[in-house]
């Protein structure tokens, strides 16, 4: 299946029972998932929702479930060929960063796979021009694209950030403001590393964490930063109301609340699992089970399912 066919199905409201989204463009995947169902449920495993997808529930409601990197399902070959037919009471969207095209899994689900290739520079510039809150030139859009390292998710985040200061931005040099606000520092910091973990951007998160550890950053400090971010995510995902209401209730900065609501790429169960992993890492450091400079990376690999 290609993205053109997916768009057609979304427009008609006639979704398939099963999709497999593959690629690194997580932000773009999230955009399509939101179009498919704004109330899609992110869950930890296929097995946890299999009964709800294959058994008639109350009413005519057909939920959409999103599962990321489910290794168990990759091994469940006995149900691959019948999975699409067995799923009758909802839609299942599987997300994988990479799949080997030679694998039996890929061949079994080839008709259901949608590949999200990295967007090209012209596509990203076109996206910026269409989404920016006021009219900017082609050259300015290209400048912003370059500042965001041609990364779709970062572009989304930065447009949102710049939208809040558009009155100021209109009276300043566009390039100067982009340099001040958007362009990432040459070094990694704990905040940007934690943000990449929350967005499930594994490669960037691992590289930044290694940089921090190599440069003497406290292992306990890194674990605490990740713990606080996942704890905030659990509170936000469990809450009801607007971003402003949630921010005031839990005393979490509204920008952090918005970031979790728009860019968090785990289920509630996944966030709780991450908290337990981080608690174990901290206890391991204090008990001597883990060296402080090794524990954060061990925890990160577990959170990203890389172990």
């Amino acid at each position: 299946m290609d993205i053109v066919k997916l768009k057609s199905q979304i427009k008609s409201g006639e979704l398939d029972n099963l999709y497999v989204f593959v690629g690194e463009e997580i932000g773009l995947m999230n955009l399509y998932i939101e179009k498919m169902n704004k109330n899609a449920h992110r869950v930890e495993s296929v097995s946890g929702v299999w009964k709800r997808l294959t058994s008639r529930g109350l009413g005519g409601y057909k939920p959409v479930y999103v599962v990321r990197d489910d290794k168990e399902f990759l091994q469940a070959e006995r149900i691959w060929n019948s999975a699409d037919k067995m799923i009758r009471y909802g839609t299942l969207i599987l997300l994988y960063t990479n799949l080997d095209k030679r694998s039996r899994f890929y061949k079994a689900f080839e008709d259901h796979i949608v590949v999200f290739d990295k967007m090209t520079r012209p596509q990203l510039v076109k996206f910026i021009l269409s989404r920016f809150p006021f009219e900017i030139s082609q050259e300015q859009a290209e400048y912003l694209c370059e500042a965001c390292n041609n990364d779709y998710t970062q572009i989304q985040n930065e447009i949102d950030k710049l939208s809040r200061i558009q009155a100021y931005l209109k009276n300043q040099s566009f390039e100067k403001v982009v340099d001040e606000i958007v362009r990432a520092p040459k070094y990694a910091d704990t905040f940007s590393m934690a943000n990449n973990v929350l967005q499930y951007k594994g490669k960037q998160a691992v590289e930044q964490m290694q940089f921090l550890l190599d440069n003497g950053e406290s292992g306990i400090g890194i674990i605490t930063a990740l713990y606080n971010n996942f704890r905030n995510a659990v509170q936000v995902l469990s809450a009801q109301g607007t971003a402003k209401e949630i921010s005031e209730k839990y005393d979490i900065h509204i920008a952090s609340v918005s970031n979790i609501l728009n860019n968090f790429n785990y289920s509630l169960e996944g966030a709780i699992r991450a908290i337990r992993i981080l608690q174990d890492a901290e206890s391991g450091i204090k008990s001597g089970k883990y060296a402080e400079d090794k524990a954060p990376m061990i925890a990160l690999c577990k959170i990203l399912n890389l172990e």
Side-chain angles (χ1 to χ4, degrees), residues 59-78:
Y61 172 66
K62 289 191 173 184
V64 173
Y65 293 104
V66 182
V67 185
R68 171 173 290 285
D69 290 336
D70 189 337
K71 294 181 179 179
E72 181 186 19
F73 192 75
L74 285 176
Q75 306 301 320
E77 191 169 351
R78 59 187 174 78

Side-chain angles (χ1 to χ4, degrees), residues 118-224:
K118 294 288 287 184
M119 293 179 70
T120 65
R121 178 71 170 262
Q123 287 174 324
L124 291 169
V125 170
K126 183 178 179 181
F127 173 79
I128 292 171
L129 290 170
S130 67
R131 293 299 181 92
F132 212 77
F134 58 87
E135 186 175 346
I136 60 174
S137 68
Q138 175 92 8
E139 291 74 20
Q140 288 172 326
E142 290 179 351
Y143 194 86
L144 177 57
C145 188
E146 181 184 347
C148 294
N149 299 311
N150 300 313
D151 183 271
Y152 175 82
T153 302
Q154 186 179 353
I155 287 171
Q156 278 189 308
N157 294 339
E158 299 303 341
I159 288 177
D160 181 59
K161 191 187 301 181
L162 292 169
S163 296
R164 299 178 201 150
I165 59 166
Q166 57 180 293
Y168 169 77
L169 183 56
K170 287 179 179 179
N171 295 311
Q172 301 292 325
S173 161
F174 183 87
E175 291 76 9
K176 178 175 179 291
V177 176
V178 168
D179 286 344
E180 291 174 349
I181 295 177
V182 177
R183 285 194 180 277
K186 300 297 183 187
Y187 56 87
D189 57 56
T190 305
F191 174 81
S192 60
M193 180 275 299
N195 196 43
N196 279 326
V197 175
L198 294 188
Q199 294 183 30
Y200 206 89
K201 297 171 78 170
K203 182 176 183 292
Q204 294 93 323
V206 168
E207 289 176 352
Q208 289 183 323
M209 180 177 285
Q210 192 59 60
F211 178 93
L212 292 169
L213 292 170
D214 289 346
N215 284 273
E217 189 75 24
S218 161
I220 287 287
I222 291 173
I223 289 170
T224 299

Side-chain angles (χ1 to χ4, degrees), residues 258-270:
S258 297
N259 188 38
I260 291 167
L261 291 174
N262 295 322
N263 300 308
F264 191 71
N265 279 300
Y266 304 78
S267 63
L268 177 59
E269 295 88 348

Side-chain angles (χ1 to χ4, degrees), residues 277-288:
I277 289 170
L278 293 163
Q279 289 173 329
D280 176 70
E282 183 179 15
S283 299
I285 292 173
K286 293 177 179 178
S287 68

